Each structure stands twice: as structure tokens, then as C-alpha cells.
Amino acid sequence: MKLKNNIFFGLTLIVIILLSAFAHQQNKRRKIGSISINFKSDGPKFLSPSFVNKLLIQNIGELSSETKDSLDLSRLETLLENTPYILNAEAFCFPEGTLGINILEKKPLVMIQGDNSYYLDNFGSEFPVSESYSPLIPIYNGELNSSNKNNLLTLVNFFNEDSFLKSEIETIYNKSNSFYVGLKSYDFEVEIGGMSMILDKLLKLKVFCTYQENNELEKKYKLISLKFKNQIVGS
């Protein structure tokens, strides 16, 4: 009796394994029926689902002729990440045969405006200005050399850490190794200087703006310099 039970359970296990293997093979041969495109973070800004869909079809052909087993998901991810506006892409297949695509677009930090305008993201990556989307970010005027690039990114990030300063910063340029910032709500220009003591400089700027909001100044300043220690110089 025990032997019969062992044989029965053994045969049952073999049948289950064979059925699982058959189902796995059938699943691999399943045709790709559709594409599900998901934009992570704040949703699509520079690209659209239809653009991504066209890009994939142009490179892998009509989906009806593809099977899950024939798709090179790694190649699709590389293809998408070579698109200037995409930071990261993930490709995967759902059991029912849908191709899933997760996309994280690059987030512009500052726009460089010059002979060839472009965006910089938080990692210093350059990508083209878009005709379909205009982000509300600071504009740097003039050519940007490599030595000033990191300082510019640091400066904008410090402004972005404060809700008031983030809402005010509008333009930036560099002259004689000193950064100058234009604000949205104030007529004066702000000379930041170098990046040393940047937190103290930005605190002085906030104090000056608050003072001007609550007091009528005797003189209208065109330039406020923060580069001198423990003082604000207006001219």
C-alpha cells in the first residue's frame, strides 16, 4: 500500500512538473499584444506615451509579430535611455503578454541660454531645450565653462532648498568669477561672488529682502553685493 502511494505521488509530481514546463514554454511564446507605458515621478513632461510607443515600434517592429521570448528587454531599456530626455527606463513583460515600460524623465535644474541653449539636470547632464514643455527654472545667460558648471549647480540647489529663494531666482550669469542673480520681485541685482560662505550669503539676502518688504529704503539700489563678510553692500 505504501509503495502504491509513493508511486502515485511520484507520478503526480512528474505530471505537475511537465504541465508547469509546458505552461512556461507557452507563456514565452505568447505574442506581445500591447504596450503599457508609465511615466514615474510627476508624469510626462518632455515626451508623450505616443512618442515612446512609436519609438519602440520603429525599433522592434509590429508587436503582433513579437513573442515574449524574442524580446530583448535590456536592448529596449538602452534604446529608451539613449533618448535625451530619459534618465532611466525599465522594460518588463506581464504574464498576459503586455509589454510594460516605466520611464523616469530627466528633471531640468537650470537652462543655459547662449548660442546653443540647453538644460542641465542635477547630475550635470546636458539635454536639448524642448518645444513642447517650458519648465519654470532659472536661466543662466552666457557660455558656461566646465570650471563654473559645478558651482552653478551647487548655487541653484542651495536656492532650491529654501521655498522663498526658490520662488525668486530668475536669472544667473557669471562675470569675473562672480555669480550674479536676478530676482523676480525685486529690482536690484544680487552679486553672490564665489561659493564660499554661501549659506551665510543667502541668509543675508533673505534678511535684506524682508527688511525692504517692511521698510521703505531711502535709496533704491541697483546692485546688492553679498561677497563681503558680515555686511551687505548696496550701490
Side-chain angles (χ1 to χ4, degrees), residues 13-27:
L13 181 60
I14 291 173
V15 170
I16 292 174
I17 293 174
L18 291 174
L19 288 175
S20 298
F22 177 76
H24 179 68
Q25 289 299 319
Q26 289 296 101
N27 185 51

Side-chain angles (χ1 to χ4, degrees), residues 88-100:
N88 178 260
E90 299 173 340
F92 51 93
C93 286
F94 290 103
E96 67 272 16
T98 298
L99 173 62

Side-chain angles (χ1 to χ4, degrees), residues 8 14 35 70 111 124 145 167 169 190 199:
F8 173 77
I14 291 173
I35 303 177
S70 66
M111 177 181 173
N145 57 46
S167 67
I169 185 171
V190 181
L199 288 177

